[in-house]
């Protein structure tokens, strides 16, 4: 059979057949007296096997070893290792695709409900939106938006433990706890623009109230990022605290809460 017939038989193209010749995967037959190359059934079977392996995901560089009739025990081990690596790669890709499908399905569900798309759990996103809409002041609303952004960044980066998200959602959906938290945010908002030295007592009092409100069991221990000092600890190792909270007085409140919680985690017998 001619090269066109061979390619058609295998469901491929003459260009692909010639490519396999160049790679040494398929022997190129000698030309007959009429100048044409004549392929045999053996060539067709070889080509079909190459195509079957390639469409199964085997790289062309591994095809020759798999089809070889003279493989040593070491060759056999290499082929098995290659196949295991291919299977592992496919399983990893399947996991990635499954996670993407789950995330996209959740996004679609929120769009169908008329809700904005968010990386936060649906219940927490809704509770925060409701709290922002019902904020008692513009300042508290802004503080809540910052809260939402920070928690969403933690969620997207995978740095938010489940108990933090569930604890925060519980605060937002409980009328009494939400009211207490909004009062703390109002006090925190009032510090904006003030020199830390001029509001030293307010900073200290607010840090104590926050520690009382978010105890260790509810919100976990806030620790500086690996390789970062206390002042520069960031979210998911990307943003420093002074970038997240640019106001010095407000940042000092968070630093004091952070220091105290870190001290408690280091000395649990003192709690």
């Amino acid at each position: 059979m001619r090269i066109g017939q061979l390619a058609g038989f295998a469901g491929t193209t003459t260009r692909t057949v010639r490519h396999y010749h160049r790679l040494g995967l398929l022997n190129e037959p000698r030309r007959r007296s009429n100048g044409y190359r004549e392929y045999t059934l053996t060539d067709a079977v070889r080509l079909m096997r190459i195509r079957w392996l390639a469409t199964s995901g085997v790289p062309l560089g591994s095809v020759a070893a798999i089809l070889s009739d003279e493989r040593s025990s070491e060759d056999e081990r290499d082929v098995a290792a290659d196949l295991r690596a291919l299977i592992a790669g496919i399983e990893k890709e399947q996991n990635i695709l499954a996670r993407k499908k789950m995330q996209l399905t959740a996004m679609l569900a929120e769009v169908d409900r008329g809700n904005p798309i968010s990386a936060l759990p649906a219940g927490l996103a809704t509770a925060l939106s409701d709290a922002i809409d019902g904020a008692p002041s513009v300042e508290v609303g802004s503080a809540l938006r910052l809260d939402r952004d920070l928690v969403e960044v933690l969620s997207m980066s995978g740095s938010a433990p489940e108990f933090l998200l569930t604890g925060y959602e519980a605060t937002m959906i409980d009328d009494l706890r939400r009211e207490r938290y909004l009062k703390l945010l109002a006090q925190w908002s009032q510090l904006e623009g003030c020199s830390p030295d001029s509001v030293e007592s307010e900073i200290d009092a607010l840090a104590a109230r926050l520690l009382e409100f978010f105890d260790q069991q509810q919100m976990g221990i806030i620790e500086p990022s690996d390789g970062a000092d206390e002042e520069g600890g960031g979210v998911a190792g990307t943003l420093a605290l002074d970038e997240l909270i640019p106001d010095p007085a407000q940042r000092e409140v968070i630093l004091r809460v952070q220091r105290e919680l870190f001290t408690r985690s280091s000395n649990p017998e003192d709690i």
Side-chain angles (χ1 to χ4, degrees):
M1 68 183 78
R2 305 283 174 78
I3 188 171
Q5 293 172 301
L6 177 72
F9 180 77
T12 187
T13 65
T14 57
R15 181 177 180 181
T16 299
V17 174
R18 293 189 178 98
H19 181 56
Y20 293 161
H21 286 327
R22 289 192 294 272
L23 293 177
L25 297 178
L26 183 66
N27 290 331
E28 192 172 356
R30 294 179 180 179
R31 295 184 185 275
R32 297 174 65 88
S33 59
N34 58 11
Y36 292 105
R37 298 185 187 279
E38 285 290 332
Y39 293 86
T40 66
L41 179 60
T42 300
D43 296 320
V45 172
R46 173 83 177 187
L47 178 59
M48 290 287 289
R49 286 173 175 164
I50 295 170
R51 295 299 299 154
W52 174 68
L53 289 170
T55 56
S56 297
V58 176
L60 292 179
S62 302
V63 167
I66 292 176
L67 293 181
S68 174
D69 294 327
E70 300 178 357
R71 289 201 301 262
S72 66
S73 58
E74 183 177 353
D75 291 333
E76 292 284 356
R77 288 193 295 271
D78 290 342
V79 168
D82 288 345
L83 292 174
R84 289 192 182 94
L86 289 169
I87 293 170
I90 290 172
E91 290 174 344
K92 181 179 180 180
E93 187 175 348
Q94 286 176 329
N95 291 334
I96 292 172
L97 290 173
R99 186 167 62 252
K100 287 181 178 180
K101 180 182 178 182
M102 182 177 66
Q103 292 171 338
L104 291 170
T105 300
M107 291 180 197
L108 177 59
E110 292 307 303
V111 170
D112 287 342
R113 296 188 190 102
N115 296 330
I117 294 176
S118 172
L120 296 173
L124 177 54
T126 299
L128 271 169
S129 293
D130 291 343
I132 290 170
D133 291 341
S137 69
V138 173
E139 291 76 17
V140 172
S142 296
L144 277 170
R145 289 186 183 88
L146 176 61
D147 261 16
R148 180 181 60 189
D149 290 347
L150 294 180
V151 176
E152 188 168 13
V153 166
L154 286 171
S155 183
M156 288 187 291
S157 68
S159 303
E162 185 62 28
F163 60 79
L164 184 147
L165 297 175
T166 55
Y168 195 28
E169 181 177 346
T171 294
M172 288 296 108
I173 63 177
D174 183 276
D175 291 342
L176 293 178
R177 286 185 61 80
R178 183 176 66 251
E179 183 179 356
R180 285 183 59 201
Y181 184 58
L182 293 184
K183 287 180 179 178
L184 292 173
L185 283 183
Q187 296 169 23
W188 191 74
S189 300
Q190 290 171 1
L191 296 176
E192 186 173 3
C194 298
S195 167
D197 292 338
S198 67
V199 287
E200 170 66 27
S201 59
E202 289 86 345
I203 289 174
D204 203 47
L206 181 54
R209 294 188 191 105
L210 285 169
L211 284 165
E212 180 183 1
F213 185 79
F214 292 121
D215 62 32
Q216 183 175 337
Q217 287 71 35
Q218 291 168 329
M219 299 301 287
I221 297 300
I222 305 171
E223 299 185 23
S225 301
D226 292 340
D229 59 25
E230 189 180 59
E231 299 289 335
V235 174
T238 56
L239 296 176
L241 187 60
D242 58 356
E243 294 174 315
L244 295 168
I245 306 173
D247 186 85
Q250 292 177 332
R251 187 167 62 249
E252 181 60 29
V253 173
I254 304 305
L255 283 171
R256 293 189 187 189
V257 171
Q258 184 184 51
R259 293 188 195 107
E260 177 60 25
L261 289 176
F262 186 65
T263 299
R264 293 182 186 181
S265 69
S266 303
N267 303 283
E269 68 278 1
D270 297 335
I271 298 176

